[in-house]
Amino acid sequence: MSIEVSGVSKQFGAFTALQDISLTVPSGELVALLGPSGCGKTTLLRIIAGLESPDRGEILFNGENAHDDVRERQVGFVFQHYALFRHMTVFDNVAFGLTVRPRKERPSKGAIRERVHELLKLIQLEGIADRYPAQLSGGQRQRVALARALAVEPKVLLLDEPFGALDAKVRIELRRWLRRLHDEIHVTSVFVTHDQEEALEVADRIVVMNKGKVEQQGTPDEVYSRPASPFVYSFLGTVNMFHARPQAGQTASTEHHSVGYARPHEIDVSRQDPGNGAIAVTVSRVLPLGAIVRLELARVDTGGLMEAEIPREKHEELWFTTGEQVYVSPKNLVVFVEDYQI
Amino acid sequence: MQHNSSARSGNNTNTEPAPVRWLLVATAMLFLTLFLFVPLAAVFSEAFSKGWETYLAALREPDTWSAIKLTVLVAAISVPLNLVFGLVASWAIAKFAFPGKSLLLTLIDLPFSVSPVISGLIYVLLFGLQGWLGPWLQDHDLKIVFAAPGIILATIFVTFPFVARELIPLMESQGREEEEAALTLGASGLQTFFLVTLPNVKWGVLYGVILCNARAMGEFGAVSVVSGHIRGMTNTVPLQVEILYNEYNYAAAFAVASLLALLALVTLVVKSWVEFRMKRQEIQS
């Protein structure tokens, strides 16, 4: 089931949450809506679910207009804070979507029990069917919420910051598990996140959003290595900015400054000035982080801070120390013309 | 939190010195004794001052017995109605946004801010013989004021906010996510209400109903205005107590009053139990 968002806008009072959003989620893919908080990604997800209605535009499932009523839309929605029914056991939570069906469509009690146990097995929580949500850990609750959403065999699965409320280690475990689960069941899924690492690791495609607009959509590799805007570049990882100096021969009418961007691992660090316009910096900190070593640097001319990451072998060879002066030059510079948006 | 739990060990700098604490506790206890325990004890000792026989006879007296029945009838009608109203209003207010929401909130609070006597007078002005609807009612032979319907109306008005006021903050704190989850899972609005919203607030509902009932049975001012004090017909228990007392029939007055005192005690016990359950549910979630 593919999802198509076409020309969707949403206004909350004077605040524009979404501005003419159009995007496509191909059938069977796992797509991340990535952006800072307040960029409208959760609103968009809720509109896709039918929990919120757009002021303009429409949502299409498989090319057809999605049902207005959230109940008829058949989406699985996983909430950031789980929203498990607190007075029901895990079993009753997962069974809920099946037991509320009209008598004619409702599976028999035995069939429901079988289906619930199948799902509990899928989320690896078979032994806890009789517990209440309050007796579960955050990670377990989130998996139960997922099983509950999957019980009704939704056409699409929507997850709102699914790992946002979990601690770092559980978060990483659970997102890998979600990726494996998706490879198994292949239901078209959209999840919202503000964590670029999560999006890069889990998603087939990433939609980067900012201020109610889509900045870029593409595969994780595309958005990471070929960012369409300075915003995408800086949101997807640490970045060093190089402001171009006005150069001889440039027309005086150039109103925009052009800015070059390079990631920390795309910076060459050397003791000798290579003579190609390299920038003199002082090493302010050396942070060995496993396979790489991060250098925090301060420009000699402006005092501006920079970050470089070099492989450990190179560091062991050159052994940079705090306080020494070195030269950096970007190996790969992406240039945007600055339009004063960030 | 930690400070409170370690207060007993005495090595906490955040608590007052022992003499101050004792003085405060003693003052509070003295007040409670003077204004609560002594009067309560007085009610029961007066009621039984002439023995069990007189006590039971006082309750069995026809006028008193009819007052008890009327009070139970009034509570049996007004409490369920206010329960339904409170549930509907708090659901609408806590879970939906609509124009006029703050006006509705203000209206719910109105009976708390109006003197009960005024509440009763409103109904006399509306339904009394000289009232707006009086002549019409008389033409159709309907009696509201100085009859049970008026008492019930006045009681409903006075006890109107109890359930709603209890549920609105509770429902607001629980948010809308569970209801939204139920909707995405295909539940209808009614299923969502009965399977998700209501079980989540059941202790709050019980709490509101208890308070509502206590007030419905104990209301004096509003009921006094609309009742007309017709013996054996339109007297509720509190009104009956007043009549007996004014007739210097102290033993009977206190015997009937002891029923209300008993109601208060039972209400208090049930209320603390419900509070305990609510706190436990809160900790669980």
Side-chain angles (χ1 to χ4, degrees), chain A residues 46 49 51 70-71 75 77 79-88 93 96-97 99-101 134 148-149 152, chain B residues 174 176-189 191-192 195-197 199-200 202 281 283-285:
Chain A
R46 290 173 61 86
L51 289 170
V70 54
R71 295 187 287 143
V75 297
F77 201 98
F79 293 83
Q80 181 177 4
H81 299 288
Y82 328 120
L84 293 176
F85 306 128
R86 61 194 99 184
H87 61 285
M88 291 183 203
N93 262 284
F96 186 86
T99 49
V100 296
R101 282 189 185 167
R148 183 179 67 177
V152 293
Chain B
Q174 290 179 346
R176 290 179 50 185
E177 278 204 342
E178 283 182 49
E179 278 83 5
E180 285 179 344
L183 289 176
T184 61
L185 290 166
S188 68
Q191 281 175 321
T192 305
L195 297 175
V196 178
T197 310
N200 275 346
K202 61 181 176 206
Q281 190 190 22
I283 291 165
Q284 272 181 5
S285 53

Side-chain angles (χ1 to χ4, degrees), chain A residues 83-140:
Chain A
L84 293 176
F85 306 128
R86 61 194 99 184
H87 61 285
M88 291 183 203
T89 61
V90 167
F91 182 96
D92 290 335
N93 262 284
V94 176
F96 186 86
L98 300 172
T99 49
V100 296
R101 282 189 185 167
R103 202 171 298 262
K104 271 181 261 166
E105 301 162 35
R106 195 189 309 157
S108 70
K109 278 209 162 132
I112 292 180
R113 199 175 314 124
E114 206 170 298
R115 174 91 181 118
V116 171
H117 282 293
E118 205 176 282
L119 282 158
L120 290 178
K121 198 170 163 189
L122 186 71
I123 60 166
Q124 299 152 7
L125 289 177
E126 273 178 298
I128 61 156
D130 294 331
R131 297 227 197 130
Y132 285 89
Q135 299 166 300
L136 307 180
S137 72
Q140 289 174 326

Side-chain angles (χ1 to χ4, degrees), chain B residues 79-282:
Chain B
V79 173
L81 282 178
N82 274 335
L83 168 65
V84 172
F85 163 78
L87 275 172
V88 172
S90 52
W91 195 40
I93 287 172
K95 311 279 178 180
F96 302 96
F98 54 91
K101 185 163 156 174
S102 53
L103 182 71
L104 183 57
L105 264 172
T106 317
L107 284 178
I108 289 174
D109 278 342
L110 191 67
F112 275 164
S113 51
V114 170
S115 156
V117 175
I118 310 292
S119 313
L121 266 177
I122 297 168
Y123 289 98
V124 175
L125 290 174
L126 266 179
F127 302 116
L129 263 184
Q130 272 75 44
W132 289 4
L133 301 171
W136 186 87
L137 288 169
Q138 203 179 23
D139 289 348
H140 292 80
D141 205 20
L142 293 168
K143 267 198 83 64
I144 291 187
V145 172
F146 307 142
I151 297 173
I152 292 167
L153 281 176
T155 307
I156 289 176
F157 181 82
V158 172
T159 57
F160 187 63
F162 284 96
V163 177
R165 264 287 143 207
E166 182 56 38
L167 291 184
I168 290 167
L170 185 62
M171 284 192 183
E172 275 177 344
S173 74
Q174 290 179 346
R176 290 179 50 185
E177 278 204 342
E178 283 182 49
E179 278 83 5
E180 285 179 344
L183 289 176
T184 61
L185 290 166
S188 68
L190 277 180
Q191 281 175 321
T192 305
F193 180 75
F194 283 109
L195 297 175
V196 178
T197 310
L198 198 54
N200 275 346
V201 296
K202 61 181 176 206
W203 295 112
V205 170
L206 191 53
Y207 192 93
V209 164
I210 294 162
L211 292 182
C212 187
N213 182 61
R215 183 67 188 269
M217 289 189 161
E219 175 58 26
F220 181 87
V223 169
S224 171
V225 177
V226 292
S227 132
H229 305 270
I230 308 167
R231 286 189 172 227
M233 298 280 288
T234 64
N235 272 339
T236 59
V237 171
L239 301 182
Q240 184 70 13
V241 173
E242 194 206 21
I243 288 175
L244 291 170
Y245 187 82
N246 286 345
E247 289 170 347
Y248 306 105
N249 193 350
Y250 294 138
F254 278 107
V256 181
S258 74
L259 288 181
L260 288 175
L262 200 66
L263 171 72
L265 287 176
V266 170
T267 302
L268 212 64
V269 170
V270 179
K271 185 175 147 273
S272 338
W273 178 69
V274 170
E275 269 172 355
F276 167 75
R277 292 300 305 248
M278 277 170 87
K279 207 165 274 170
R280 215 172 65 171
Q281 190 190 22
E282 213 170 278

Side-chain angles (χ1 to χ4, degrees), chain A residues 132-314:
Chain A
Y132 285 89
Q135 299 166 300
L136 307 180
S137 72
Q140 289 174 326
R141 285 183 212 184
Q142 192 58 290
R143 279 186 281 166
V144 173
L146 195 61
R148 183 179 67 177
L150 290 174
V152 293
E153 288 171 357
K155 292 174 177 172
V156 299
L157 184 62
L158 307 170
L159 306 104
D160 184 11
E161 299 263 7
F163 317 117
L166 302 170
D167 59 58
K169 192 164 174 288
V170 182
R171 189 151 69 204
I172 290 171
E173 266 171 38
L174 208 54
R175 75 189 188 209
R176 294 200 175 137
W177 174 81
L178 176 72
R179 179 67 242 189
R180 283 200 305 275
L181 182 77
H182 185 264
D183 292 340
E184 251 174 71
I185 59 177
H186 276 299
V187 58
T188 310
S189 309
V190 181
F191 77 101
V192 156
T193 179
H194 61 264
D195 182 344
Q196 80 281 358
E197 211 180 289
E198 196 170 287
L200 291 170
E201 184 177 321
V202 177
D204 294 316
R205 291 171 66 79
I206 296 179
V207 177
V208 186
M209 291 182 64
N210 184 32
K211 293 180 182 160
K213 288 184 185 162
V214 172
E215 290 270 341
Q216 188 178 6
Q217 33 181 325
T219 63
D221 192 47
E222 275 166 14
V223 293
Y224 187 78
S225 43
R226 290 197 298 283
S229 68
F231 172 81
V232 177
Y233 207 112
S234 48
F235 195 73
L236 281 170
T238 320
V239 70
N240 294 301
M241 290 208 272
F242 296 88
H243 292 269
R245 292 196 201 93
Q247 300 206 333
Q250 207 169 19
T251 53
S253 66
T254 310
E255 283 164 21
H256 298 300
H257 295 273
S258 49
V259 183
Y261 292 80
R263 299 228 181 267
H265 67 265
E266 295 168 336
I267 301 263
D268 241 342
V269 188
S270 54
R271 282 223 166 79
Q272 281 80 42
D273 186 352
N276 56 358
I279 299 159
V281 293
T282 17
V283 179
S284 42
R285 279 182 86 186
V286 180
L287 303 163
L289 302 170
I292 56 142
V293 175
R294 182 180 298 154
L295 302 175
E296 287 182 11
L297 311 161
R299 287 178 70 140
V300 172
D301 49 357
T302 62
L305 296 177
M306 294 179 72
E307 228 174 66
E309 282 169 8
I310 56 173
R312 180 168 280 273
E313 300 87 69
K314 189 175 175 192

